[in-house]
Amino acid sequence: MKIAAAQLSCVPADIPANVRQLVALAERARAQDAELIVHPELALTGYEIDALAADPRLWVTPDDPRLDALRATGIATVVNCAVPTDGPLPAIGSHVYGPDGELLTTYLKQHLYENEQGAFAPGTEDGRFTLGGLRFALATCFDNHFPDLTARGAADDCDVHLASSLYGTGNGVHERAAVYPGIARSTGLYVVLANHVGPAGPWTGCGGAALWAPDGTLLTEADDRSTTVAVADVP
């Protein structure tokens, strides 16, 4: 299976504009024969914590009609956004759609970063789905810094670890370059990272969307400035 890791600069708090960008990236991935595309953390709104905390209209259920165009692209899609919960706070979640647009699963971020605490509710269950004979594990940004979470994917017979993330310039460049090949080597899984590039809330995304082989070898990597996809084959 060919898998695409996306990177983009989101339009702050503008779901329709960002859906148009994600659809364009999906079309670019399909043109390279990818069957699955992974988008960055909070790709539908950008990393706009204050706006998301203040406006429930920016929270997205799996059947939200604003995602119709994204579900109709014909490629399996991991899209991260603010997700309503049973409580007063949303979660940071990844809705996963199959190539037919049907929901495969929703994963809620378990480990909230400092500025996310108090604005979001943490998830409590690991994210898994199966597609094309492969089993996938899901994680969102800070989740990937917890070896127990990534190890559970390997223990649960997953083949590929998918990360929707935001790493910025500065220290984020070094974290990104160390954490993800490290996950591959420690778990024996393929690792896919989708990231922001350019302005992203209080940070500037460093790009570098990428895929790594189970031994930590880099298979493909995007640059640090373009809205694009990095595509590689996962045997």
Side-chain angles (χ1 to χ4, degrees), residues 14-162:
D14 190 333
I15 291 176
N18 291 315
V19 165
R20 289 192 290 272
Q21 290 202 84
L22 301 190
V23 167
L25 288 167
E27 291 172 347
R28 185 179 301 188
R30 283 197 68 192
Q32 298 180 56
D33 298 322
E35 298 176 62
L36 170 67
I37 184 168
V38 184
H39 294 294
E41 184 174 26
L42 296 176
L44 288 180
T45 57
Y47 195 83
E48 303 297 327
I49 303 303
D50 291 343
L52 289 166
D55 190 355
R57 293 173 297 179
L58 297 175
W59 308 352
V60 179
T61 61
D63 59 352
D64 192 306
R66 291 173 292 183
L67 302 188
D68 285 352
L70 194 58
R71 290 191 291 263
T73 55
I75 184 173
T77 302
V78 179
V79 59
N80 193 271
C81 54
V83 177
T85 68
D86 293 334
L89 299 178
I92 298 175
S94 288
H95 297 317
V96 183
Y97 301 98
D100 58 359
E102 292 297 314
L103 182 73
L104 299 179
T105 193
T106 295
Y107 167 71
L108 305 182
K109 184 177 184 178
Q110 297 180 59
H111 299 282
L112 299 175
Y113 194 61
E114 298 168 357
N115 58 322
E116 297 163 1
Q117 297 176 20
F120 298 97
T124 59
E125 298 182 5
D126 292 334
R128 305 282 187 266
F129 69 96
T130 301
L131 181 73
L134 297 175
R135 185 163 171 79
F136 295 85
L138 292 160
T140 305
C141 205
F142 198 40
D143 281 337
N144 297 285
H145 293 244
F146 291 81
D148 58 333
L149 185 148
T150 56
R152 289 196 298 270
D156 201 20
D157 295 325
C158 291
D159 303 290
V160 187
H161 179 86
L162 305 178

Side-chain angles (χ1 to χ4, degrees), residues 216-232:
T217 299
L218 182 66
L219 298 176
T220 185
E221 182 178 43
D223 61 27
D224 61 356
R225 57 192 177 278
S226 304
T227 292
T228 191
V229 293
V231 178

